[in-house]
Amino acid sequence: MIINLRSLILFFLLSPIYILAQEDYTISGNISDINSNESLIGVNVILPELQTGAVTNEYGFYSITLPEGTYVIQISYLGYKTISETITLNSNLSKNYKLKESAESLDEVVITEDIEKLNIKKPQMSVNSLSIKTIKNMPVVLGEVDVIKSITLLPGVTNGGEGASGFNVRGGAADQNLILLDEATIFNSSHLFGFFSVFNPDAIKDIKLYKGGIPSKYGGRISSVLDIYQKEGNSKSFHMNGGIGLISSRLLAEGPIKKDKGSFLIGGRSSYAHLFLPLFDLDNTAYFYDLNTKLSYNINDNNNIYLSGYFGRDVFKISDSFENSFGNSVLNFRWNHIFSDKIFSNLSLIYSDYYYGLQLGFVGFDWISGIRNFNLKYDFKHYVNNNFKLDYGLNSMYYKFNPGDIKPINAESGINPFKLIDKYAFENAVYIDAEHKLSDRLSVSYGARFSMFHRLGQDELNQYENNSPLTFNEAFGIYEKAEPIGTDTYSRSDVIESFANLEPRLAVAYQLNDNSSVKASYNRMSQYLHLLSNTSSPTPLDVWTPSGKYIKPQLLNQVAIGYFKTFKNNAYSIEVESFYKTIQNRIDYIDGADLIANDAIEQVILNGEARAYGLEVLLKKNEGKFTGWLAYTLSKSEQRTPGRTAIETGINNGEWYNTPYDKTHDISITGNYELNNKWSFSSNLIFQTGQPTTFPNGQYQYNDIIIPSYEARNSSRLPAYHRLDLAVNYTPNPESTKNFKGEWVFGLYNVYNRKNAASISFSENRNTGINEATRLAIFGIVPSFSYNFKF
């Protein structure tokens, strides 16, 4: 008993000393490029002996909490030399690192063992990242590097075909993708009706696509998030780079405002193919231009501010009879503040505007429409300890929707001014996410987003009998517009309709061994905005509309499970994922719906449901002279809109039908071969199942009028899509020590001249009187070249 008492006394006396000896300390700081001071996203900070570490956030900040002791710390990042040093941690330590580019691996994906192990352990899944260097090596149409077309080479991502805008993720519509440029929403991601994207590759620093397991900080869309960050500019010295191509050129300048403290970046891009049209006696115009800007300033070690912007326009003109212009404008002011070595914050004030203008000279009027967005975000990242991290914050957005404004060009036009009713909405959200390492093998990420949407007052809102803007004509089996029985008038501060949704998120990763893991995720998301379009891909004329009294928000539930493995000392990796998702309140259009200049859009739409499921495989070769990947997707995407009552037929008789973006098989093979310092080669091979479409299956005559009849919606398909692209990069003087460096890029798009069908139309041959099908192909074989330079 005496011994036990002595042991107890010794325990209480010595335990504070023991606890003090095991006190934890935090090492934190920023990681940037040594030559430009550009912050680096996703840098791996690893302690090999503890098999733990961290990754820098969107602004280059990291934080790791460890017991007191001496450790070896490794800092590694794609294309940069690894830093390895010994640190002694006996107090909180603030330490910044500068990384130096590794010339011998500039265009090579380098994965070390520790980096890959860390990725296998993390619960994050259904995420793809592409370096801008990889994207620039890919062969593309007309020689213009394109971010959007590059991500369509990943599993689960497709587009509507050549010349089509937007992209589709896991069987979702293009309007279900949240596209962010420096946190600002981009409502239309295309130039020249889909031939190019709005993202200047020279100004882009980081690209990340979330297809599932989407973190709680993102909301407002239900298919994917494409998160893109611009460069910050070089705060050490002035540099310029650019490129000259067949139809477009670009130029970017960056340099210090105050050396090592502040920097600027400004980049411009424009096409000029229209300048050659007069040579062919064509009085038409089709061109685009855009401008990227960014100012960055380091106030002190704990405070940084950024002001970034983007402005882009497309102009399409046919003589003096038709002129179309459209584009995005965004502006974002951000303030990074480090509260402590464990709490990082970012405050953003964002303005985003999408404008669409149409001038019809032969009719005599101007048409203007668009959507404007004001956004306040405040995000926090809390590094509680190495096993537990929190992300939390809030988000408030105010929207103004201009569905259309018609104005006469002059008094002689005979057109009366007409303004479609503006709509207003307010969207708020709070979120929290936790990343929790439960054991050496098991990690989870869990959280929730609570979103609220308020449809605000507008000048007029139609009233309908039984609140039904559509009636069903039982005799003809068709839907018809209901006649309004009156209108309601609201002040701007009134709330017409409110919605609130809890959006839980969960992801789990279990490490099977050092080289493989299984992961699973679930996410529920809400989308309160809808793109009114009855085409397979968005067009500039498409109009956004908010949820409200007659249009309900889209609600997604998605589950995914995957297997991840590396081979041969991480030289190869494979990712296999399967997903299933359902969507409630997906809007559908009645036959013959008119969407243009419709002030009562609720009269032509019904709420339906959608579902998509599939299998994705990504096999990558990460090291060596030859690198690349094979991506394969097997999927199904369907939609159904049953009748609201037993007597209603709904859309397509209430049966499931293929969505316009259903592609059963999608295969992409991408390869890069570096022969030597001067020559490198790249190629893409793409195969996709043909796009669903609806063909006529007969005709009948009524009062001397021939009327076609059509098969079930989207029950046929266009021919399969496939093509091969090749590109060659030639650097004349790779070893040159001069400041000016140049590079030639030669490409062949669609090498074997495949005439892929963009559409098939049916008409009567005037000479023979026989109905015939006509296939429209956008591109055959397209050669290109460009010259890139920097100094």
Side-chain angles (χ1 to χ4, degrees), residues 582-625:
T582 61
I583 300 169
Q584 303 173 44
N585 302 324
R586 177 62 182 165
I587 61 174
D588 206 344
Y589 307 99
I590 65 173
D591 293 332
D594 54 323
L595 303 180
I596 307 301
N598 190 342
D599 221 356
I601 201 68
E602 67 274 4
Q603 294 179 336
V604 295
I605 61 177
L606 289 169
N607 287 321
E609 60 180 329
R611 66 186 180 190
Y613 47 91
L615 178 72
E616 300 170 356
V617 179
L618 180 62
L619 176 63
K620 298 178 68 176
K621 185 178 186 299
N622 302 306
E623 298 177 356
K625 285 185 172 291

Side-chain angles (χ1 to χ4, degrees), residues 350-375:
I350 306 168
Y351 168 80
S352 179
D353 176 75
Y354 174 69
Y355 164 86
Y356 177 84
L358 180 64
Q359 185 180 92
L360 297 177
F362 66 94
V363 179
F365 72 83
D366 285 338
W367 165 282
I368 296 173
S369 64
I371 177 174
R372 190 170 297 167
N373 166 275
F374 299 91
N375 188 359

